[in-house]
Coordinates of all heavy atoms in Angstrom, one line a residue:
M1 N 61.9 55.6 141.3 CA 62.8 56.8 141.3 C 64.3 56.2 141.3 O 64.6 55.3 142.0 CB 62.6 57.7 142.5 CG 63.5 58.9 142.5 SD 62.9 60.0 143.8 CE 62.7 61.4 142.7
Q2 N 65.1 56.9 140.5 CA 66.5 56.5 140.4 C 67.3 56.9 141.6 O 67.0 58.0 142.1 CB 67.1 57.0 139.1 CG 66.5 56.5 137.8 CD 67.2 57.1 136.6 OE1 68.3 57.6 136.7 NE2 66.5 57.1 135.5
T3 N 68.3 56.2 141.9 CA 69.3 56.6 142.9 C 70.2 57.6 142.4 O 70.7 57.5 141.3 CB 70.1 55.3 143.4 OG1 69.2 54.4 143.8 CG2 71.0 55.7 144.5
V4 N 70.4 58.7 143.1 CA 71.3 59.7 142.7 C 72.5 59.6 143.6 O 72.4 59.4 144.8 CB 70.7 61.1 142.9 CG1 71.6 62.2 142.6 CG2 69.4 61.3 142.1
T5 N 73.7 59.6 143.0 CA 75.0 59.4 143.7 C 75.8 60.8 143.8 O 75.4 61.7 143.1 CB 75.8 58.4 143.0 OG1 76.2 58.9 141.7 CG2 75.1 57.1 142.8
Y6 N 76.8 60.7 144.6 CA 77.7 61.9 144.7 C 78.3 62.2 143.3 O 78.3 63.4 142.9 CB 78.7 61.7 145.7 CG 79.6 62.9 145.9 CD1 79.2 64.0 146.6 CD2 80.9 62.9 145.2 CE1 80.1 65.1 146.7 CE2 81.7 64.0 145.4 CZ 81.3 65.1 146.1 OH 82.1 66.2 146.2
P7 N 78.8 61.3 142.5 CA 79.3 61.6 141.2 C 78.2 62.3 140.3 O 78.5 63.1 139.5 CB 79.7 60.3 140.6 CG 80.1 59.5 141.8 CD 79.1 59.9 142.9
D8 N 76.9 61.8 140.4 CA 75.8 62.5 139.7 C 75.7 64.0 140.1 O 75.5 64.8 139.3 CB 74.5 61.8 140.0 CG 74.4 60.4 139.4 OD1 75.2 60.0 138.5 OD2 73.6 59.6 140.0
Y9 N 75.8 64.2 141.4 CA 75.8 65.6 142.0 C 76.9 66.4 141.4 O 76.7 67.5 140.9 CB 75.8 65.5 143.5 CG 76.0 66.8 144.2 CD1 74.9 67.7 144.1 CD2 77.1 67.2 144.8 CE1 75.0 69.0 144.8 CE2 77.2 68.4 145.5 CZ 76.2 69.3 145.5 OH 76.2 70.5 146.1
V10 N 78.1 65.9 141.4 CA 79.2 66.6 140.8 C 79.0 66.9 139.3 O 79.2 68.0 138.9 CB 80.6 65.9 141.0 CG1 81.7 66.5 140.3 CG2 80.9 65.7 142.5
F11 N 78.5 65.9 138.6 CA 78.2 66.1 137.2 C 77.2 67.2 137.0 O 77.3 68.1 136.2 CB 77.7 64.8 136.6 CG 77.2 64.9 135.2 CD1 78.1 64.7 134.1 CD2 75.9 65.2 134.9 CE1 77.7 64.9 132.8 CE2 75.5 65.3 133.6 CZ 76.4 65.2 132.5
F12 N 76.1 67.2 137.8 CA 75.1 68.2 137.7 C 75.6 69.6 138.0 O 75.3 70.6 137.3 CB 73.9 67.9 138.7 CG 72.8 68.8 138.6 CD1 71.9 68.8 137.5 CD2 72.5 69.8 139.6 CE1 70.8 69.7 137.4 CE2 71.5 70.6 139.5 CZ 70.6 70.6 138.4
C13 N 76.4 69.8 139.1 CA 77.0 71.1 139.4 C 77.9 71.6 138.3 O 77.8 72.7 137.9 CB 77.8 71.0 140.7 SG 76.8 70.7 142.2
K14 N 78.7 70.7 137.7 CA 79.6 71.1 136.7 C 78.8 71.5 135.4 O 79.1 72.5 134.8 CB 80.6 69.9 136.3 CG 81.6 70.3 135.3 CD 82.6 69.2 135.0 CE 83.5 69.6 133.9 NZ 84.5 68.5 133.6
A15 N 77.8 70.7 135.0 CA 77.0 71.0 133.9 C 76.3 72.3 134.0 O 76.2 73.1 133.1 CB 76.0 69.8 133.6
F16 N 75.8 72.5 135.2 CA 75.1 73.8 135.5 C 76.0 75.0 135.3 O 75.7 76.0 134.7 CB 74.5 73.8 136.9 CG 73.8 75.0 137.2 CD1 72.4 75.2 136.8 CD2 74.4 76.0 138.0 CE1 71.8 76.4 137.1 CE2 73.7 77.2 138.2 CZ 72.4 77.4 137.8
Q17 N 77.2 74.9 135.9 CA 78.1 76.0 135.8 C 78.6 76.3 134.4 O 78.6 77.4 133.9 CB 79.4 75.8 136.7 CG 79.1 76.0 138.2 CD 78.8 77.4 138.5 OE1 77.6 77.8 138.5 NE2 79.8 78.2 138.7
E18 N 78.9 75.2 133.7 CA 79.3 75.3 132.3 C 78.2 75.8 131.4 O 78.5 76.6 130.5 CB 79.9 74.0 131.8 CG 81.2 73.7 132.5 CD 81.9 72.4 132.0 OE1 81.3 71.7 131.2 OE2 83.0 72.2 132.5
W19 N 77.0 75.4 131.7 CA 75.8 75.9 130.9 C 75.7 77.4 131.1 O 75.2 78.1 130.2 CB 74.6 75.1 131.4 CG 73.3 75.4 130.7 CD1 73.2 76.0 129.5 CD2 72.0 75.0 131.1 NE1 71.8 76.1 129.1 CE2 71.1 75.5 130.1 CE3 71.5 74.4 132.2 CZ2 69.7 75.3 130.2 CZ3 70.2 74.2 132.3 CH2 69.3 74.6 131.3
N20 N 76.0 77.9 132.2 CA 75.9 79.3 132.5 C 77.2 80.1 132.3 O 77.4 81.2 132.7 CB 75.4 79.5 134.0 CG 74.0 79.2 134.1 OD1 73.1 80.0 133.7 ND2 73.6 78.0 134.6
L21 N 78.1 79.4 131.6 CA 79.4 80.0 131.2 C 80.3 80.4 132.4 O 81.0 81.5 132.3 CB 79.2 81.2 130.2 CG 78.3 80.9 129.0 CD1 78.1 82.1 128.2 CD2 79.0 79.8 128.1
F22 N 80.3 79.6 133.4 CA 81.2 79.8 134.5 C 82.1 78.6 134.7 O 81.7 77.5 134.3 CB 80.4 80.0 135.8 CG 79.6 81.3 135.8 CD1 78.3 81.3 135.6 CD2 80.3 82.5 136.1 CE1 77.6 82.5 135.6 CE2 79.6 83.7 136.1 CZ 78.2 83.7 135.8
D23 N 83.2 78.7 135.3 CA 84.1 77.6 135.6 C 83.6 76.8 136.8 O 82.8 77.4 137.7 CB 85.5 78.1 136.0 CG 86.2 78.8 134.8 OD1 85.9 78.3 133.6 OD2 87.0 79.7 135.0
F24 N 83.9 75.6 136.9 CA 83.5 74.7 138.0 C 84.8 74.1 138.6 O 85.7 73.7 138.0 CB 82.7 73.5 137.5 CG 82.4 72.5 138.5 CD1 81.5 72.7 139.5 CD2 83.1 71.3 138.5 CE1 81.3 71.7 140.5 CE2 82.9 70.3 139.5 CZ 82.0 70.6 140.4
E25 N 84.8 74.2 139.9 CA 85.9 73.6 140.7 C 85.2 72.7 141.7 O 84.5 73.1 142.6 CB 86.7 74.7 141.5 CG 87.5 75.6 140.5 CD 88.6 74.9 139.8 OE1 89.1 73.9 140.4 OE2 88.9 75.3 138.7
E26 N 85.5 71.4 141.6 CA 84.9 70.4 142.6 C 85.3 70.8 144.0 O 84.5 70.5 144.9 CB 85.3 69.0 142.2 CG 84.6 68.0 143.1 CD 84.8 66.5 142.6 OE1 85.4 66.3 141.5 OE2 84.4 65.6 143.4
S27 N 86.5 71.3 144.2 CA 86.9 71.7 145.5 C 86.0 72.8 146.2 O 86.1 73.0 147.4 CB 88.4 72.2 145.5 OG 88.5 73.3 144.7
D28 N 85.2 73.4 145.4 CA 84.3 74.4 146.0 C 83.0 73.8 146.6 O 82.2 74.5 147.2 CB 83.9 75.5 144.9 CG 85.0 76.4 144.5 OD1 86.0 76.5 145.3 OD2 85.0 76.9 143.4
I29 N 82.8 72.5 146.4 CA 81.7 71.8 147.0 C 82.0 71.7 148.5 O 83.1 71.3 148.9 CB 81.5 70.4 146.4 CG1 81.0 70.6 145.0 CG2 80.5 69.6 147.2 CD1 80.9 69.2 144.2
K30 N 81.0 72.1 149.3 CA 81.2 72.1 150.8 C 80.5 70.9 151.4 O 79.3 70.7 151.1 CB 80.7 73.4 151.4 CG 81.4 74.6 150.9 CD 80.7 75.9 151.5 CE 81.3 77.1 150.8 NZ 80.3 77.9 150.1
Q31 N 81.1 70.2 152.3 CA 80.5 69.2 153.0 C 79.9 69.8 154.3 O 80.7 70.4 155.0 CB 81.4 68.0 153.3 CG 80.7 66.9 154.0 CD 81.5 65.6 154.2 OE1 82.6 65.6 153.7 NE2 80.9 64.6 154.8
E32 N 78.6 69.6 154.5 CA 78.0 70.2 155.6 C 78.1 69.3 156.8 O 78.2 68.0 156.7 CB 76.5 70.4 155.4 CG 76.2 71.4 154.2 CD 76.8 72.7 154.4 OE1 76.8 73.2 155.5 OE2 77.3 73.3 153.4
P33 N 78.3 69.8 158.0 CA 78.4 69.0 159.2 C 77.1 68.2 159.5 O 76.0 68.6 159.2 CB 78.7 70.0 160.4 CG 78.3 71.3 159.9 CD 78.3 71.2 158.4
G34 N 77.3 67.1 160.1 CA 76.1 66.2 160.5 C 76.5 64.8 160.4 O 77.5 64.4 159.8
E35 N 75.6 63.9 160.9 CA 75.8 62.5 160.8 C 75.7 62.0 159.4 O 76.4 61.1 159.0 CB 74.8 61.8 161.7 CG 75.1 62.0 163.2 CD 74.1 61.2 164.0 OE1 73.7 60.0 163.6 OE2 73.8 61.6 165.1
V36 N 74.7 62.5 158.7 CA 74.6 62.0 157.3 C 75.3 63.0 156.4 O 75.1 64.2 156.5 CB 73.1 62.0 156.9 CG1 72.9 61.7 155.4 CG2 72.3 61.1 157.8
P37 N 76.2 62.5 155.5 CA 76.9 63.5 154.7 C 76.0 64.3 153.7 O 75.1 63.7 153.1 CB 77.8 62.6 153.8 CG 77.9 61.3 154.5 CD 76.6 61.2 155.3
S38 N 76.1 65.6 153.7 CA 75.3 66.4 152.8 C 76.3 67.5 152.3 O 77.3 67.8 152.9 CB 74.1 67.0 153.5 OG 74.6 67.9 154.5
Y39 N 76.0 67.9 151.1 CA 76.9 68.8 150.4 C 76.1 70.0 149.8 O 74.9 69.9 149.4 CB 77.6 68.1 149.2 CG 78.3 66.8 149.7 CD1 77.6 65.6 149.8 CD2 79.6 66.9 150.1 CE1 78.3 64.5 150.2 CE2 80.3 65.7 150.5 CZ 79.6 64.5 150.6 OH 80.2 63.4 151.0
T40 N 76.8 71.1 149.7 CA 76.3 72.3 149.0 C 77.3 72.9 148.0 O 78.5 72.8 148.2 CB 75.8 73.4 150.0 OG1 76.9 73.8 150.7 CG2 74.7 72.9 150.9
Y41 N 76.8 73.5 147.0 CA 77.6 74.2 146.0 C 77.0 75.5 145.6 O 75.8 75.5 145.3 CB 77.8 73.3 144.8 CG 78.7 73.9 143.7 CD1 80.1 73.9 143.9 CD2 78.2 74.5 142.6 CE1 80.9 74.5 143.0 CE2 79.0 75.1 141.7 CZ 80.4 75.1 141.8 OH 81.2 75.7 140.9
D42 N 77.7 76.6 145.8 CA 77.2 77.9 145.4 C 77.5 78.1 143.9 O 78.6 78.2 143.5 CB 77.9 79.0 146.2 CG 77.4 79.0 147.7 OD1 76.2 78.7 147.9 OD2 78.2 79.2 148.6
A43 N 76.4 78.2 143.2 CA 76.5 78.3 141.7 C 75.9 79.7 141.3 O 75.3 80.4 142.1 CB 75.8 77.2 141.0
T44 N 76.0 80.0 140.0 CA 75.4 81.2 139.5 C 74.6 80.9 138.3 O 75.1 80.3 137.3 CB 76.5 82.3 139.2 OG1 77.3 82.5 140.4 CG2 75.9 83.6 138.7
F45 N 73.4 81.4 138.3 CA 72.5 81.3 137.1 C 72.6 82.6 136.3 O 72.6 83.7 136.9 CB 71.1 81.1 137.5 CG 70.1 81.1 136.3 CD1 70.0 80.0 135.5 CD2 69.4 82.3 136.0 CE1 69.1 80.1 134.4 CE2 68.5 82.3 135.0 CZ 68.4 81.2 134.1
R46 N 72.8 82.5 135.0 CA 72.9 83.7 134.1 C 71.7 83.6 133.1 O 71.6 82.6 132.4 CB 74.2 83.7 133.4 CG 74.4 84.9 132.5 CD 75.6 84.7 131.5 NE 76.8 84.2 132.1 CZ 77.9 84.8 132.4 NH1 78.0 86.1 132.1 NH2 78.9 84.3 132.9
D47 N 70.9 84.6 133.1 CA 69.7 84.6 132.1 C 70.2 85.1 130.8 O 71.3 85.6 130.6 CB 68.5 85.2 132.7 CG 68.6 86.8 132.7 OD1 69.6 87.4 132.2 OD2 67.6 87.4 133.2
E48 N 69.3 85.1 129.8 CA 69.6 85.5 128.5 C 70.0 87.0 128.4 O 70.6 87.5 127.4 CB 68.6 85.2 127.5 CG 67.2 85.8 127.8 CD 66.1 85.2 126.9 OE1 66.1 84.0 126.6 OE2 65.3 86.0 126.5
S49 N 69.6 87.8 129.4 CA 70.0 89.2 129.4 C 71.2 89.5 130.2 O 71.6 90.6 130.5 CB 68.8 90.1 130.0 OG 67.6 89.9 129.2
N50 N 71.9 88.4 130.6 CA 73.1 88.5 131.4 C 72.9 88.9 132.8 O 73.9 89.3 133.5 CB 74.2 89.3 130.7 CG 75.6 88.9 131.1 OD1 75.8 87.7 131.4 ND2 76.5 89.8 131.2
Y51 N 71.7 88.9 133.3 CA 71.4 89.1 134.8 C 71.8 87.8 135.5 O 71.6 86.7 135.0 CB 70.0 89.4 135.0 CG 69.6 90.8 134.6 CD1 68.9 91.0 133.4 CD2 70.0 91.9 135.3 CE1 68.5 92.2 133.0 CE2 69.7 93.2 134.8 CZ 68.9 93.3 133.7 OH 68.6 94.6 133.3
K52 N 72.3 87.9 136.7 CA 72.8 86.7 137.4 C 72.1 86.7 138.8 O 71.8 87.7 139.4 CB 74.3 86.8 137.6 CG 75.1 86.9 136.3 CD 76.5 87.2 136.5 CE 77.3 87.5 135.2 NZ 77.0 88.8 134.7
T53 N 72.0 85.4 139.2 CA 71.5 85.2 140.6 C 72.2 84.0 141.2 O 72.6 83.1 140.4 CB 69.9 85.0 140.6 OG1 69.5 85.0 142.0 CG2 69.5 83.8 139.9
N54 N 72.3 83.9 142.5 CA 72.9 82.8 143.2 C 71.9 81.6 143.2 O 70.7 81.8 143.4 CB 73.3 83.2 144.6 CG 74.1 82.2 145.3 OD1 75.0 81.6 144.7 ND2 73.7 81.9 146.5
V55 N 72.5 80.4 143.1 CA 71.8 79.2 143.2 C 72.6 78.3 144.1 O 73.8 78.1 143.8 CB 71.6 78.5 141.8 CG1 70.9 77.2 142.0 CG2 70.8 79.4 140.9
V56 N 72.0 77.8 145.1 CA 72.6 76.8 146.0 C 72.1 75.4 145.6 O 70.9 75.1 145.7 CB 72.4 77.1 147.5 CG1 73.0 76.0 148.4 CG2 72.9 78.5 147.9
I57 N 73.1 74.6 145.2 CA 72.7 73.2 144.7 C 73.1 72.3 145.9 O 74.3 72.3 146.3 CB 73.4 72.8 143.4 CG1 73.1 73.8 142.3 CG2 73.0 71.4 143.0 CD1 73.9 73.7 141.1
S58 N 72.2 71.5 146.4 CA 72.5 70.6 147.5 C 72.3 69.2 147.2 O 71.5 68.8 146.3 CB 71.5 71.0 148.7 OG 71.6 72.4 149.0
F59 N 73.0 68.3 148.0 CA 72.9 66.9 147.8 C 72.9 66.3 149.2 O 73.8 66.6 150.0 CB 74.0 66.3 147.0 CG 74.0 64.8 146.9 CD1 73.0 64.2 146.2 CD2 75.1 64.1 147.4 CE1 73.0 62.8 146.1 CE2 75.1 62.7 147.3 CZ 74.0 62.0 146.6
D60 N 71.8 65.5 149.6 CA 71.7 64.9 150.9 C 72.0 63.5 151.0 O 71.7 62.8 151.9 CB 70.3 65.2 151.4 CG 69.2 64.5 150.7 OD1 69.5 63.7 149.7 OD2 68.0 64.7 151.0
G61 N 72.7 63.0 149.9 CA 73.0 61.5 149.9 C 71.9 60.7 149.1 O 72.2 59.6 148.8
A62 N 70.8 61.4 148.8 CA 69.7 60.7 148.1 C 69.1 61.5 147.0 O 68.6 61.0 146.0 CB 68.6 60.2 149.1
A63 N 69.1 62.8 147.1 CA 68.5 63.7 146.2 C 69.3 65.0 146.0 O 69.9 65.5 146.9 CB 67.1 64.0 146.6
I64 N 69.1 65.6 144.8 CA 69.7 66.9 144.4 C 68.6 67.9 144.5 O 67.5 67.7 143.9 CB 70.4 66.9 143.0 CG1 71.5 65.9 143.0 CG2 70.8 68.3 142.7 CD1 72.1 65.7 141.6
T65 N 68.8 69.0 145.2 CA 67.8 70.1 145.3 C 68.6 71.4 145.0 O 69.8 71.4 145.0 CB 67.1 70.1 146.6 OG1 68.1 70.3 147.7 CG2 66.3 68.8 146.9
W66 N 67.8 72.4 144.7 CA 68.4 73.7 144.5 C 67.5 74.8 145.1 O 66.3 74.7 145.1 CB 68.7 74.0 143.0 CG 67.6 73.7 142.1 CD1 66.6 74.5 141.8 CD2 67.3 72.4 141.5 NE1 65.7 73.9 140.9 CE2 66.1 72.6 140.7 CE3 67.9 71.2 141.5 CZ2 65.6 71.5 140.0 CZ3 67.4 70.1 140.7 CH2 66.2 70.3 140.0
A67 N 68.1 75.9 145.5 CA 67.4 77.1 145.9 C 67.9 78.3 145.1 O 69.1 78.5 145.1 CB 67.6 77.3 147.4
I68 N 67.0 79.0 144.5 CA 67.4 80.1 143.7 C 67.1 81.4 144.5 O 66.0 81.7 144.9 CB 66.5 80.1 142.4 CG1 66.8 78.8 141.7 CG2 66.9 81.3 141.5 CD1 65.8 78.5 140.6
A69 N 68.2 82.2 144.7 CA 68.1 83.4 145.5 C 67.0 84.3 145.1 O 66.2 84.8 146.0 CB 69.4 84.1 145.5
D70 N 66.8 84.6 143.9 CA 65.8 85.6 143.5 C 64.5 84.9 143.0 O 63.6 85.6 142.5 CB 66.3 86.5 142.4 CG 67.5 87.4 142.9 OD1 67.3 88.0 144.0 OD2 68.5 87.5 142.3
D71 N 64.5 83.6 143.1 CA 63.3 82.8 142.7 C 62.7 83.1 141.3 O 61.5 83.2 141.1 CB 62.2 83.1 143.8 CG 61.2 81.9 143.8 OD1 61.6 80.7 143.6 OD2 60.0 82.1 144.1
W72 N 63.7 83.2 140.4 CA 63.3 83.5 139.0 C 62.7 82.3 138.3 O 63.2 81.2 138.4 CB 64.5 83.9 138.2 CG 65.1 85.2 138.6 CD1 64.6 86.2 139.4 CD2 66.4 85.7 138.1 NE1 65.5 87.2 139.5 CE2 66.6 87.0 138.8 CE3 67.4 85.2 137.3 CZ2 67.7 87.7 138.6 CZ3 68.5 86.0 137.1 CH2 68.7 87.2 137.7
E73 N 61.6 82.5 137.6 CA 60.9 81.4 137.0 C 61.7 80.8 135.9 O 61.8 79.5 135.7 CB 59.5 81.9 136.4 CG 58.7 80.7 135.8 CD 58.3 79.7 136.8 OE1 58.1 80.0 138.0 OE2 58.2 78.5 136.4
D74 N 62.4 81.6 135.1 CA 63.3 81.0 134.0 C 64.4 80.2 134.6 O 64.8 79.2 134.0 CB 63.8 82.1 133.1 CG 64.6 83.2 133.7 OD1 64.5 83.4 135.0 OD2 65.4 83.9 133.0
A75 N 64.9 80.5 135.7 CA 65.9 79.7 136.4 C 65.4 78.4 136.8 O 66.0 77.3 136.6 CB 66.5 80.5 137.6
H76 N 64.2 78.4 137.4 CA 63.5 77.1 137.8 C 63.3 76.2 136.6 O 63.6 75.0 136.6 CB 62.2 77.4 138.4 CG 62.3 77.9 139.9 ND1 62.6 77.1 140.9 CD2 62.0 79.1 140.4 CE1 62.6 77.8 142.0 NE2 62.3 79.0 141.7
E77 N 62.9 76.8 135.5 CA 62.6 76.0 134.3 C 63.9 75.4 133.7 O 63.9 74.2 133.4 CB 61.9 76.9 133.2 CG 60.5 77.2 133.6 CD 59.9 78.2 132.6 OE1 60.4 78.4 131.5 OE2 58.8 78.7 132.9
E78 N 64.9 76.2 133.6 CA 66.2 75.8 133.0 C 66.9 74.8 133.9 O 67.4 73.8 133.4 CB 67.1 77.0 132.7 CG 66.5 77.8 131.5 CD 67.4 78.9 131.1 OE1 68.7 78.8 131.2 OE2 66.9 79.9 130.6
I79 N 66.9 75.0 135.2 CA 67.5 74.0 136.1 C 66.8 72.7 136.0 O 67.4 71.6 136.0 CB 67.6 74.6 137.5 CG1 68.5 75.8 137.5 CG2 68.1 73.5 138.5 CD1 68.5 76.6 138.8
S80 N 65.4 72.7 136.0 CA 64.6 71.5 136.0 C 64.9 70.8 134.7 O 65.0 69.5 134.7 CB 63.1 71.8 136.1 OG 62.9 72.3 137.4
T81 N 65.0 71.5 133.6 CA 65.3 70.9 132.3 C 66.7 70.2 132.3 O 66.8 69.0 131.8 CB 65.3 71.9 131.1 OG1 63.9 72.5 131.1 CG2 65.6 71.3 129.8
L82 N 67.7 70.8 132.8 CA 69.0 70.2 132.9 C 68.9 69.0 133.8 O 69.5 67.9 133.4 CB 70.0 71.2 133.5 CG 71.4 70.7 133.8 CD1 72.1 70.3 132.4 CD2 72.2 71.8 134.5
Y83 N 68.3 69.1 134.9 CA 68.2 67.9 135.8 C 67.4 66.7 135.2 O 67.9 65.6 135.2 CB 67.4 68.3 137.1 CG 67.3 67.2 138.1 CD1 68.4 66.8 138.9 CD2 66.2 66.4 138.2 CE1 68.4 65.8 139.8 CE2 66.1 65.4 139.1 CZ 67.2 65.0 139.9 OH 67.1 64.0 140.8
D84 N 66.3 67.0 134.5 CA 65.5 66.0 133.8 C 66.4 65.3 132.7 O 66.3 64.1 132.6 CB 64.2 66.5 133.2 CG 63.2 66.9 134.3 OD1 63.4 66.6 135.5 OD2 62.3 67.7 134.0
S85 N 67.2 66.1 132.0 CA 68.0 65.6 130.9 C 69.1 64.7 131.5 O 69.4 63.6 131.0 CB 68.7 66.7 130.2 OG 67.7 67.5 129.5
M86 N 69.7 65.1 132.7 CA 70.7 64.3 133.3 C 70.1 62.9 133.8 O 70.6 61.9 133.6 CB 71.2 65.0 134.5 CG 72.3 64.2 135.3 SD 72.8 64.9 136.8 CE 71.6 64.3 137.9
M87 N 68.9 63.0 134.3 CA 68.2 61.7 134.8 C 67.8 60.8 133.6 O 67.9 59.6 133.7 CB 67.0 62.1 135.7 CG 67.4 62.8 137.0 SD 68.7 62.0 137.9 CE 67.9 60.6 138.6
Q88 N 67.4 61.4 132.5 CA 67.1 60.6 131.3 C 68.4 59.9 130.8 O 68.3 58.7 130.4 CB 66.5 61.5 130.2 CG 65.1 61.9 130.5 CD 64.5 62.9 129.5 OE1 65.2 63.4 128.7 NE2 63.2 63.2 129.7
L89 N 69.5 60.6 130.8 CA 70.8 60.0 130.3 C 71.1 58.9 131.3 O 71.6 57.8 130.8 CB 71.9 61.1 130.3 CG 72.0 61.9 129.1 CD1 73.0 63.0 129.3 CD2 72.4 61.1 127.9
K90 N 71.0 59.1 132.6 CA 71.3 58.1 133.5 C 70.5 56.9 133.4 O 70.9 55.8 133.4 CB 71.2 58.7 134.9 CG 71.6 57.8 136.0 CD 71.6 58.5 137.4 CE 71.8 57.5 138.5 NZ 73.1 57.2 138.9
A91 N 69.2 57.1 133.1 CA 68.2 56.0 133.0 C 68.5 55.2 131.7 O 68.3 54.0 131.6 CB 66.8 56.5 132.9
S92 N 69.1 55.8 130.7 CA 69.4 55.1 129.5 C 70.7 54.2 129.6 O 71.0 53.5 128.7 CB 69.6 56.1 128.3 OG 70.9 56.8 128.5
G93 N 71.3 54.4 130.7 CA 72.5 53.6 131.0 C 73.8 54.2 130.4 O 74.9 53.6 130.5
R94 N 73.7 55.4 129.9 CA 74.9 56.1 129.4 C 75.7 56.7 130.6 O 75.1 57.1 131.6 CB 74.5 57.2 128.5 CG 73.8 56.7 127.2 CD 73.6 57.9 126.3 NE 73.0 57.4 125.1 CZ 72.0 58.0 124.4 NH1 71.5 59.1 124.9 NH2 71.5 57.5 123.4
Q95 N 77.0 56.7 130.4 CA 77.8 57.3 131.4 C 77.7 58.8 131.4 O 77.8 59.4 130.3 CB 79.3 56.8 131.3 CG 80.2 57.3 132.4 CD 81.6 56.7 132.2 OE1 81.9 56.0 131.2 NE2 82.4 57.0 133.1
L96 N 77.6 59.4 132.5 CA 77.5 60.9 132.6 C 79.0 61.4 132.7 O 79.7 61.3 133.6 CB 76.8 61.3 133.9 CG 75.4 60.8 134.0 CD1 74.8 61.2 135.4 CD2 74.5 61.3 132.9
V97 N 79.4 62.1 131.5 CA 80.7 62.6 131.4 C 80.6 64.0 130.7 O 79.9 64.1 129.7 CB 81.6 61.7 130.6 CG1 83.0 62.3 130.5 CG2 81.7 60.3 131.3
L98 N 81.3 64.9 131.2 CA 81.4 66.2 130.5 C 82.8 66.4 130.0 O 83.8 66.0 130.6 CB 81.1 67.4 131.5 CG 79.6 67.6 131.8 CD1 79.4 68.7 132.8 CD2 78.9 68.0 130.5

């Protein structure tokens, strides 16, 4: 399994927001209290009918996870596709830049 870094997390959050036609501000990433740095970002998923749901994207220093407020299957599929694409790019040695 590949190591996920904080810059990867920022890239993923930004790509997710832009994919859903929303602006991204890195300053909106919240660092959670605790001994091990962890981060959360409140994002919004927009489906093809323009319905929206909240998505919390988290990073615990080792992995990126997400929680979808309304647990929509299409949101799970699209987020997983985006994440898998990011990891494939990373594995290829290409720099992750938006």
Side-chain angles (χ1 to χ4, degrees):
M1 179 169 238
Q2 294 181 19
T3 302
V4 179
T5 64
Y6 180 79
D8 296 336
Y9 173 68
V10 172
F11 176 87
F12 183 74
C13 291
K14 182 177 181 182
F16 180 82
Q17 283 295 92
E18 290 181 355
W19 184 14
N20 285 283
L21 305 174
F22 293 103
D23 293 330
F24 170 77
E25 293 293 331
E26 187 173 351
S27 61
D28 290 339
I29 293 174
K30 298 176 190 118
Q31 184 171 358
E32 300 300 323
E35 289 185 35
V36 177
S38 62
Y39 304 89
T40 59
Y41 182 77
D42 289 321
T44 304
F45 174 79
R46 180 192 318 252
D47 73 5
E48 59 188 41
S49 298
N50 205 31
Y51 289 103
K52 300 169 191 78
T53 190
N54 186 46
V55 176
V56 177
I57 304 170
S58 302
F59 178 63
D60 66 3
I64 296 172
T65 58
W66 49 87
I68 302 164
D70 295 311
D71 204 31
W72 295 348
E73 184 61 33
D74 58 339
H76 283 287
E77 289 173 13
E78 290 184 29
I79 295 167
S80 292
T81 298
L82 177 64
Y83 182 80
D84 292 345
S85 296
M86 180 188 85
M87 295 310 287
Q88 288 173 354
L89 278 172
K90 184 175 170 85
S92 74
R94 294 185 180 139
Q95 185 176 3
L96 303 177
V97 178
L98 283 176

